[in-house]
Amino acid sequence: MISFILAVLAGLCIVGADQYTKFYIASNYVLGESHDFLKGFIDITYIENGGAAWGMLSGYTWLLLSITVIVMLVCIALLFRYGSKNKLMFWAIVLVLSGGIGNMIDRIFRGGKVTDFLHFSFYPQFPVFNVADCAVTCGAIMLVVYFIVDIIADDRKKRRGSTEQVEQNENI
């Protein structure tokens, strides 16, 4: 129960930080304006993105919203099925859900566009992103790590089981 309360609080903090930073940028910057934040590392560049990463599917708000809802439903299903068994899976899903909610709020209430403002100045081709994107990315990486670790553990169990079976057959 405490994990659930912490997850809700963490999710609210992530969504709150995401929405606050987007509101701050939209209120204090002109669209397209850019300033150094951490010189040589991150710039603040205010853009409105009507698509996904790199502007893909721009103008397809309903498709992007539908994909977001589907991903969120899959995450909720994973949370109920595996979340209580593994903390890495649990927190990964919390991050993905929180980030998804943050960007979904933008798509619904900001004309189908997401406010992006963080930009790696050392890698100019990388898309401008926001706090919600960071949460989704970190959560997705954690999910990949979880599944890799789980696959390795299953493989070790299978090998251990087959080795024990061979030893039992040899003893007969």
Side-chain angles (χ1 to χ4, degrees):
M1 183 64 160
I2 290 178
S3 291
F4 177 75
I5 293 169
L6 288 174
V8 169
L9 291 174
L12 289 172
C13 287
I14 291 167
V15 172
D18 176 64
Q19 291 301 303
Y20 174 76
T21 54
K22 289 172 179 176
F23 174 78
Y24 178 83
I25 295 298
S27 299
N28 293 288
Y29 285 72
V30 175
L31 194 59
E33 185 178 355
S34 185
H35 296 281
D36 287 336
F37 182 66
L38 297 173
K39 191 164 180 66
F41 186 63
I42 293 181
D43 297 333
I44 302 294
T45 302
Y46 173 34
I47 68 163
E48 292 180 345
N49 184 358
W54 286 279
M56 292 185 298
L57 300 173
S58 186
Y60 290 93
T61 302
W62 289 106
L63 177 61
L64 291 168
L65 281 170
S66 299
I67 291 169
T68 302
V69 168
I70 291 167
V71 168
M72 291 173 76
L73 290 172
V74 168
C75 284
I76 291 168
L78 287 171
L79 188 61
F80 282 112
R81 182 166 173 116
Y82 301 106
S84 63
K85 297 175 188 172
N86 187 285
K87 289 183 192 241
L88 179 64
M89 167 73 86
F90 179 83
W91 287 104
I93 292 171
V94 168
L95 287 171
V96 171
L97 286 171
S98 301
I101 290 167
N103 281 337
M104 192 164 50
I105 290 170
D106 278 21
R107 291 196 195 287
I108 293 170
F109 297 107
R110 293 192 177 112
K113 295 181 180 176
V114 174
T115 299
D116 288 331
F117 57 91
L118 297 169
H119 184 242
F120 290 126
S121 54
F122 64 88
Y123 185 32
Q125 296 80 12
F126 197 81
V128 181
F129 57 99
N130 58 47
V131 174
D133 297 335
C134 293
V136 169
T137 301
C138 290
I141 290 168
M142 290 167 64
L143 283 172
V144 168
V145 168
Y146 168 80
F147 285 117
I148 290 171
V149 168
D150 192 51
I151 288 168
I152 291 170
D154 282 350
D155 187 52
R156 285 186 180 164
K157 283 180 189 176
K158 286 178 186 174
R159 280 196 234 158
R160 202 173 304 129
S162 64
T163 303
E164 291 171 2
Q165 184 65 36
V166 169
E167 289 173 1
Q168 287 176 359
N169 289 342
E170 290 175 355
N171 291 334
I172 295 179

